[in-house]
Amino acid sequence: MKWKKICSLDDIVPDTGVCAQIDDKHIALFRLAATDEVLAIDNIDPFSRSSVLSRGLIGSVGGTPTVASPLHKQRFDLRSGHCLDDESITLTTYATRISKDAVSISLA
Amino acid sequence: MSTYIIIGNGMVGHRFVEELVSKNLHIDNNIIVFGEEPRSAYDRVQLSSYFNGTTANELSLVTPGYYEENSIELRIKERVTAINRETQTVTSDNGEIIPYDTLILATGSVPFVPPISGNDREGCFVYRTIEDLEAITSHAKNSKIGTVVGGGLLGLEAANALQNLGLETHVVEFAPRLMAVQINDHAGECLRNKIESLGVGIHTSKATSEITDGKNRIHKMVFADGEELETDCIVFSAGIRPRDELAKSCGLDLGERGGIAIDKHCRTSDPHIYAIGECACWNGKIFGLVAPGYHMARIVAERLDHCEETLFKGFDMSTKLKLLGVDVASIGDAQAARRGARTFAINNEIDGSYARIVVSKNLKYLWGAVLIGDCSTYDMLLQMMKNRIPLPSNPQDVILPATSEEQSLGPDALPDDATICSCHNVTKGDIVDAIKNDGIVDLPSLKSCTKVATGCGGCATLTKKILDNELEKQGIAVDTSLCEHFAYTRQELYHLIRTEQIHSFGELLEKHGTGLGCEICKPTAASIFASCWNEHLLDTDKAGLQDTNDYYLGNMQKDGTYSVVPRVPGGEITPDGLITIGTIAKKYNLYTKITGGQRVDMFGARVDQLPPIWKELIDAGFETGHAYGKSLRTVKSCVGSTWCRYGQQDSVGLAIELENRYKGLRSPHKLKMAVSGCTRECSEAQSKDLGVIATENGYNMYVCGNGGMRPRHADLFAEDLDKDTLIRYIDRFFMFYIRTADKLQRTSVWMESLDGGLEYLRKVVMHDSLNICSQLEEEMSYVIDSYECEWKATINDPEKIKRFRHFVNSDESDNNVLFVEERGQIRPATADERELQLANTSA
């Protein structure tokens, strides 16, 4: 698995997201303060085609961490990429790792 | 299969059709309805609201398509001119002859116009149909003085309408007191005092002998005692007369003083013909209210359905209403006419209210009551009378101001067959059944399930009490949780945050919630923190709570770019200010548009452009306009007395002062305000959450208006206030809203959800009935004193600025944002245009 370093953990305000550019891709990274982990999914909102998901609000449904699109509030499961409000849509998720405060992501 | 013909499409005629449909009698039978008015049935009871902006469509009782969908033939603007009982046919005014099996007369009534010479002059009206109101409105435009003939219930309604039209209003009554039928002498006197204090001239014991040309006004009314009154507009509202002419000409029996005689089945002297509503006469009585008419409609429908039959045995004519803003109620034997009746009365000269009860000789039962000025005991008294609930040992206790809970009659004291809603004949038992069997837990579902409180609405308070009582008995806790993370309402969270001095979401979640929170509870908590503590939105422990609009201090548009809206208080801006905005928009290639709130929107800014744009704006003296926040947006103004030749006060100056006072105030939803310099109302203050209209003597304050999806005309809250009082009331009003409204609840909806409505709000804000006003003012002054421009604070803080970039790992802009040009400005590219552009770049 090839890891690509994105930023330091401090660059992400706890319980918010940021967008990373990797090649042509826009990828959203979310820092969950409760579990101290970073989760990554596509940043392009499939409903509007706009690059905005990292700016959505993090939440939980049951025990599952989610993000709600800032445009029309559709929720996405941050672990599976499934859209909770539209079964037909699943976003790509990406493996992440935090080591020595550096956040890395794997595209493989 | 039978043919039912219904003559009349008023409230009762239409209700009868609904009864037939609810019994599925429209499926196998042929139903034809005649209505002579140019429109289908509408709510005549609420007719006066037409003057407050309610439209004819809103008054309609008929859902569009209702008659067509149920295959009922509705013949509008068509009159029946004759009934032939032998052939069982009716003749319409276009000559058509139609046979019937059963005929229902719901012809209603006409206003009684006293036989006075000159009563048909131009500018003389009656008050019954929408067309009448249109004619009065148009005549009133060139009138100064309006006079109503008739001081009864309908007359006072009409007087209210004339006053609303801005006319100096007079009421002329033949009897020695107002509302002679419903209330006693002393009550009439109290009502008179109250109404006179509202500026309406009352002339009792006046018989009009003729109406001729006036000297200074259009008409001169000459009275039998020789006095005269000059007026421009006359409205006759001196009672009703049943429309019985069709019945008379086909030989049906009539009552002694008119009206189509009916028996306990509502059947006329011809067994194939029924009469219902105000045209019918039972036992010598005409019933001039809608509820007995609805009752008759149900009786006839039941009979046609051959089901268990209710019999008409008269109807309780108790009524509660607001006349010219004065609460008036009459219950049962209000005049103490029954033999042996004894009375108790309380005459409060201080607040002008009056209450009298009429009780049985042995002081055991309530027979009737009259209430003026305060009708809060109406529901209880009515139920006591109807259900023969024994009076307390001191009967007068029931009208004394409540000193203990025991006095008030709880829902448990009512028997199951107590009628709660007389418009729709819903009993307490029906309500309890719906709650028990249909799982109903709130008032709206109870209304749609049982129709309770959907007629005149007078029973809504009592219904809510029964609902709450029943839910409590069944141990049902109503789930009003904000979301899965907090088992509290917004109001409860507000209280917790305020009293426990909670400043962060983590603390709130730990103490009172579960899970991580979500897109519902996070912004709600953020808004409450801001209302209470006014700390910067982007402080590290709050940034993650903000909706993206608040997080980037701009409104996110469909393509992920943001709008930039600097504050322009009161809509006043210097040429240099305009040039600055223009220069910046040009430099960053932003789309510009003038908003409804009298300022300039700039669209199409990428996140990374926001800080430099705002830096330039702030350097030029601008502040954030909070266009993105659930907070005060703008205070719109007209140019006011400074320039306008009609202006009464400096509306721009006041608007600027108000906008600067409340800017940054975060609330459950956005707040809009406006100040108009005179009653021409050019700034549309009556469509705002808080509107001010300048008068000769000060300011009128309007509250809880709304434009948008669900428009609501604002309510006049207080008149002729000086500026300090106005501002004090606004402080309290906003803070009380922030304290008690639900999340994302605009003031208009909040007002409708307040138990007691406008009156209650007045009591809290003007009379400090909850003893919280000093607290509310303190809370407001804290928010005002701690105001800072969020954008200014942001650009001065490198930590906050860091977040304003699209990529965390590169300085590039969002290459996903694509514009095309239209009418000389940018706009987001459509899906097709994007594909084309992307194909071109990659090629």
Side-chain angles (χ1 to χ4, degrees):
Chain A
M1 202 177 247
K2 263 179 83 178
W3 295 101
K4 185 169 170 58
K5 192 192 152 191
I6 303 296
C7 59
S8 85
L9 192 59
D10 288 346
D11 290 332
I12 316 179
V13 177
D15 286 324
T16 70
V18 295
C19 175
Q21 183 179 39
I22 301 172
D23 305 327
D24 279 345
K25 275 191 179 328
H26 294 205
I27 295 173
L29 290 91
F30 298 94
R31 177 176 173 189
L32 305 185
T35 47
D36 215 10
E37 61 185 324
V38 171
L39 298 175
I41 61 171
D42 286 331
N43 193 54
I44 304 283
D45 173 19
F47 297 95
S48 64
R49 308 303 313 157
S50 302
S51 182
V52 295
L53 288 185
S54 62
R55 302 181 218 157
L57 277 168
I58 296 174
S60 67
V61 176
T64 311
T66 57
V67 66
S69 164
L71 282 167
H72 287 118
K73 314 290 180 232
Q74 295 92 348
R75 294 160 304 164
F76 299 89
D77 182 334
L78 288 178
R79 293 196 196 280
S80 67
H82 291 316
C83 176
L84 302 183
D85 299 296
D86 185 342
E87 273 182 20
S88 67
I89 290 178
T90 299
L91 298 176
T92 313
T93 57
Y94 304 90
T96 58
R97 142 184 117 170
I98 309 170
S99 64
K100 287 182 196 156
D101 279 348
V103 179
S104 305
I105 193 168
S106 161
L107 291 184
Chain B
M1 178 171 147
S2 304
T3 298
Y4 304 142
I5 293 187
I6 301 144
I7 306 180
N9 191 235
M11 296 181 78
V12 172
H14 175 65
R15 168 53 69 86
F16 177 69
V17 172
E18 288 184 326
E19 291 281 357
L20 292 180
V21 171
S22 76
K23 296 182 163 45
N24 283 325
L25 289 172
H26 61 302
I27 295 172
D28 292 325
N29 300 298
N30 189 16
I31 303 174
I32 304 168
V33 183
F34 286 89
E36 64 176 11
E37 285 187 56
R39 61 189 95 236
S40 57
Y42 54 90
D43 193 346
R44 242 186 269 281
V45 175
Q46 304 294 334
L47 198 58
S48 300
S49 67
Y50 178 82
F51 291 110
N52 299 330
T54 306
T55 63
N57 275 345
E58 287 165 340
L59 284 173
S60 175
L61 294 171
V62 184
T63 331
Y66 178 83
Y67 282 85
E68 294 80 352
E69 277 158 28
N70 291 305
S71 312
I72 295 164
E73 191 180 338
L74 175 61
R75 298 179 166 216
I76 285 297
K77 278 205 252 184
E78 199 171 332
R79 258 166 42 113
V80 170
T81 52
I83 300 167
N84 187 330
R85 289 164 52 198
E86 235 151 72
T87 55
Q88 287 189 220
T89 56
V90 300
T91 309
S92 100
D93 59 358
N94 65 18
E96 211 176 323
I97 295 174
I98 306 155
Y100 66 85
D101 295 296
T102 303
L103 180 65
I104 292 92
L105 301 171
T107 47
S109 64
V110 282
F112 170 61
V113 178
I116 302 166
S117 119
N119 64 10
D120 54 352
R121 288 163 58 91
E122 206 178 308
C124 289
F125 304 94
V126 293
Y127 194 86
R128 171 89 183 167
T129 64
I130 289 180
E131 284 66 33
D132 294 334
L133 268 57
E134 283 169 346
I136 293 171
T137 311
S138 116
H139 185 78
K141 281 187 187 130
N142 299 312
S143 303
K144 228 181 126 181
I145 303 177
T147 302
V148 175
V149 178
L153 204 145
L154 290 169
L156 295 179
E157 280 264 354
N160 189 31
L162 293 185
Q163 220 190 15
N164 282 344
L165 286 170
L167 303 188
E168 176 192 322
T169 305
H170 294 269
V171 173
V172 174
E173 167 60 43
F174 180 75
R177 64 166 184 272
L178 296 174
M179 289 186 72
V181 183
Q182 291 90 353
I183 63 180
N184 58 312
D185 272 344
H186 206 108
E189 203 49 43
C190 294
L191 182 61
R192 179 199 186 111
N193 291 341
K194 284 215 166 240
I195 291 176
E196 277 179 337
S197 74
L198 297 166
V200 175
I202 305 285
H203 313 266
T204 49
S205 301
K206 285 269 181 292
T208 313
S209 47
E210 70 170 328
I211 303 168
T212 58
D213 285 338
K215 223 182 247 166
N216 303 312
R217 314 257 44 110
I218 299 174
H219 312 288
K220 180 170 80 182
M221 300 173 74
V222 184
F223 302 119
D225 59 9
E227 282 187 37
E228 295 174 356
L229 176 67
E230 294 224 343
T231 182
D232 298 306
C233 170
I234 297 175
V235 178
F236 291 104
S237 193
I240 54 164
R241 292 291 179 269
R243 295 276 304 267
D244 54 11
E245 65 273 12
L246 266 178
K248 191 175 179 182
S249 64
C250 72
L252 290 175
D253 289 350
L254 301 184
E256 247 174 58
R257 279 171 294 159
I260 308 162
I262 55 167
D263 62 11
K264 60 192 176 192
H265 305 289
C266 301
R267 201 171 46 182
T268 67
S269 52
D270 179 329
H272 299 287
I273 305 180
Y274 296 83
I276 55 178
E278 293 179 342
C279 65
C281 173
W282 177 85
N283 228 359
K285 289 194 204 90
I286 305 279
F287 296 84
L289 290 177
V290 72
Y294 283 179
H295 188 57
M296 293 178 193
R298 194 164 61 94
I299 288 171
V300 177
E302 277 180 6
R303 191 171 169 82
L304 298 180
D305 193 29
H306 308 290
C307 66
E308 186 195 341
E309 214 181 298
T310 318
L311 299 176
F312 192 78
K313 299 173 187 157
F315 204 86
D316 175 48
M317 297 294 276
S318 300
T319 183
K320 173 177 80 167
L321 66 171
K322 212 182 236 329
L323 293 169
L324 290 142
V326 181
D327 287 308
V328 179
S330 161
I331 293 175
D333 181 17
Q335 313 272 20
R338 271 172 83 173
R339 198 207 291 240
R342 305 177 69 172
T343 63
F344 292 90
I346 295 176
N347 182 21
N348 183 338
E349 285 190 355
I350 311 295
D351 69 1
S353 69
Y354 174 85
R356 170 167 109 145
I357 50 169
V358 179
V359 304
S360 60
K361 197 172 174 184
N362 59 9
L363 309 185
K364 249 188 149 160
Y365 298 107
L366 185 72
W367 284 356
V370 174
L371 305 168
I372 307 286
D374 177 4
C375 290
S376 52
T377 50
Y378 176 82
D379 283 340
M380 179 192 69
L381 294 175
L382 183 62
Q383 293 298 338
M384 280 192 121
M385 181 198 72
K386 281 188 172 172
N387 299 299
R388 278 180 71 80
I389 295 170
L391 285 161
S393 46
N394 292 318
Q396 68 271 30
D397 281 357
V398 295
I399 45 171
L400 282 172
T403 45
S404 72
E405 271 298 300
E406 299 150 39
Q407 266 171 232
S408 67
L409 192 65
D412 281 334
L414 298 175
D416 271 355
D417 58 1
T419 302
I420 305 301
C421 171
S422 38
C423 297
H424 294 277
N425 195 39
V426 184
T427 63
K428 180 189 159 199
D430 296 335
I431 295 173
V432 172
D433 272 355
I435 299 167
K436 276 189 182 152
N437 303 330
D438 301 330
I440 299 241
V441 293
D442 58 47
L443 194 56
S445 352
L446 190 60
K447 279 181 176 176
S448 65
C449 173
T450 62
K451 293 191 117 179
V452 72
T454 57
C456 70
C459 59
T461 320
L462 185 61
T463 303
K464 181 77 172 56
K465 275 191 196 151
I466 296 173
L467 174 67
D468 291 346
N469 184 53
E470 207 51 41
L471 290 177
E472 195 180 323
K473 265 202 267 178
Q474 296 180 21
I476 297 174
V478 185
D479 187 13
T480 49
S481 303
L482 192 62
C483 62
E484 67 171 83
H485 308 102
F486 289 98
Y488 299 99
T489 61
R490 179 198 171 274
Q491 296 88 327
E492 288 163 341
L493 278 185
Y494 178 92
H495 184 74
L496 291 170
I497 289 173
R498 173 97 48 201
T499 52
E500 296 179 18
Q501 301 268 320
I502 297 174
H503 286 247
S504 79
F505 189 71
E507 188 186 347
L508 184 67
L509 204 56
E510 193 185 314
K511 282 189 171 161
H512 303 289
T514 57
L516 300 183
C518 66
E519 73 284 354
I520 294 166
C521 57
K522 281 179 172 179
T524 303
S527 159
I528 298 174
F529 290 140
S531 295
C532 290
W533 320 127
N534 215 14
E535 294 160 344
H536 199 284
L537 302 183
L538 302 187
D539 286 350
T540 309
D541 59 344
K542 290 184 192 65
L545 308 178
Q546 311 300 342
D547 219 341
T548 188
N549 286 358
D550 274 328
Y551 191 72
Y552 288 101
L553 307 173
N555 273 336
M556 181 186 267
Q557 305 301 319
K558 60 197 281 186
D559 61 347
T561 63
Y562 292 83
S563 65
V564 173
V565 189
R567 187 167 294 290
V568 180
E572 184 184 83
I573 186 164
T574 62
D576 278 337
L578 282 170
I579 289 167
T580 303
I581 291 179
T583 311
I584 292 172
K586 208 168 176 179
K587 176 171 168 189
Y588 292 92
N589 192 23
L590 303 174
Y591 168 84
T592 52
K593 186 172 187 310
I594 309 290
T595 74
Q598 302 189 328
R599 49 192 189 179
V600 185
D601 264 12
M602 291 174 264
F603 289 86
R606 300 181 177 94
V607 264
D608 47 291
Q609 292 177 312
L610 288 171
I613 291 173
W614 274 106
K615 179 156 189 348
E616 289 190 38
L617 284 168
I618 283 162
D619 287 346
F622 284 102
E623 293 185 312
T624 178
H626 292 99
Y628 44 82
K630 304 294 180 225
S631 57
L632 176 78
R633 295 287 170 84
T634 66
V635 185
K636 190 173 172 176
S637 72
C638 65
V639 79
S641 59
T642 319
W643 290 88
C644 177
R645 61 198 158 113
Y646 299 113
Q648 301 273 12
Q649 312 277 354
D650 174 17
S651 45
V652 180
L654 180 64
I656 293 173
E657 186 176 340
L658 292 175
E659 186 155 344
N660 281 326
R661 183 173 180 83
Y662 300 113
K663 63 188 176 189
L665 173 68
R666 286 219 151 48
S667 48
H669 210 306
K670 61 188 170 192
L671 290 171
K672 296 185 177 180
M673 299 176 70
V675 182
S676 275
C678 76
T679 54
R680 282 169 187 76
E681 244 285 69
C682 294
S683 61
E684 295 156 333
Q686 291 166 98
S687 66
K688 306 296 183 211
D689 297 283
L690 195 294
V692 178
I693 300 180
T695 66
E696 220 177 319
N697 309 314
Y699 301 98
N700 285 354
M701 170 171 163
Y702 289 80
V703 298
C704 304
N706 198 5
M709 188 160 66
R710 213 176 136 248
R712 182 180 190 275
H713 202 273
D715 292 304
L716 176 59
F717 184 78
E719 289 178 275
D720 290 331
L721 301 175
D722 59 73
K723 197 172 84 182
D724 289 347
T725 312
L726 172 74
I727 288 178
R728 200 160 60 240
Y729 286 172
I730 301 176
D731 279 3
R732 296 172 179 179
F733 169 78
F734 277 157
M735 265 302 160
F736 188 60
Y737 163 64
I738 289 170
R739 203 183 255 218
T740 58
D742 208 348
K743 75 177 158 68
L744 299 182
Q745 187 176 44
R746 289 294 295 269
T747 56
S748 54
V749 183
W750 170 67
M751 158 72 97
E752 278 155 21
S753 74
L754 278 184
D755 216 356
L758 182 65
E759 253 334 290
Y760 171 71
L761 201 55
R762 283 203 186 111
K763 282 184 189 151
V764 173
V765 171
M766 295 168 72
H767 309 301
D768 200 4
S769 61
L770 300 178
N771 200 17
I772 53 170
C773 285
S774 62
Q775 217 177 337
L776 295 177
E777 285 173 32
E778 232 169 82
E779 290 166 5
M780 180 61 88
S781 86
Y782 177 80
V783 172
I784 293 165
D785 293 344
S786 58
Y787 169 82
E788 60 170 355
C789 169
E790 289 159 1
W791 261 114
K792 190 172 184 181
T794 303
I795 53 174
N796 289 333
D797 183 343
E799 272 307 304
K800 293 191 170 94
I801 284 295
K802 254 172 51 181
R803 293 173 211 153
F804 287 85
R805 52 202 297 220
H806 188 71
F807 297 114
V808 68
N809 59 342
S810 123
D811 288 331
E812 277 179 46
S813 279
D814 180 2
N815 57 354
N816 188 56
V817 170
L818 296 174
F819 298 122
V820 294
E821 210 181 280
E822 188 173 83
R823 296 186 293 274
Q825 299 203 73
I826 57 156
R827 69 158 170 79
T830 63
D832 291 347
E833 288 162 348
R834 293 175 66 87
E835 272 181 33
L836 204 67
Q837 276 199 32
L838 292 170
N840 286 344
T841 26
S842 58

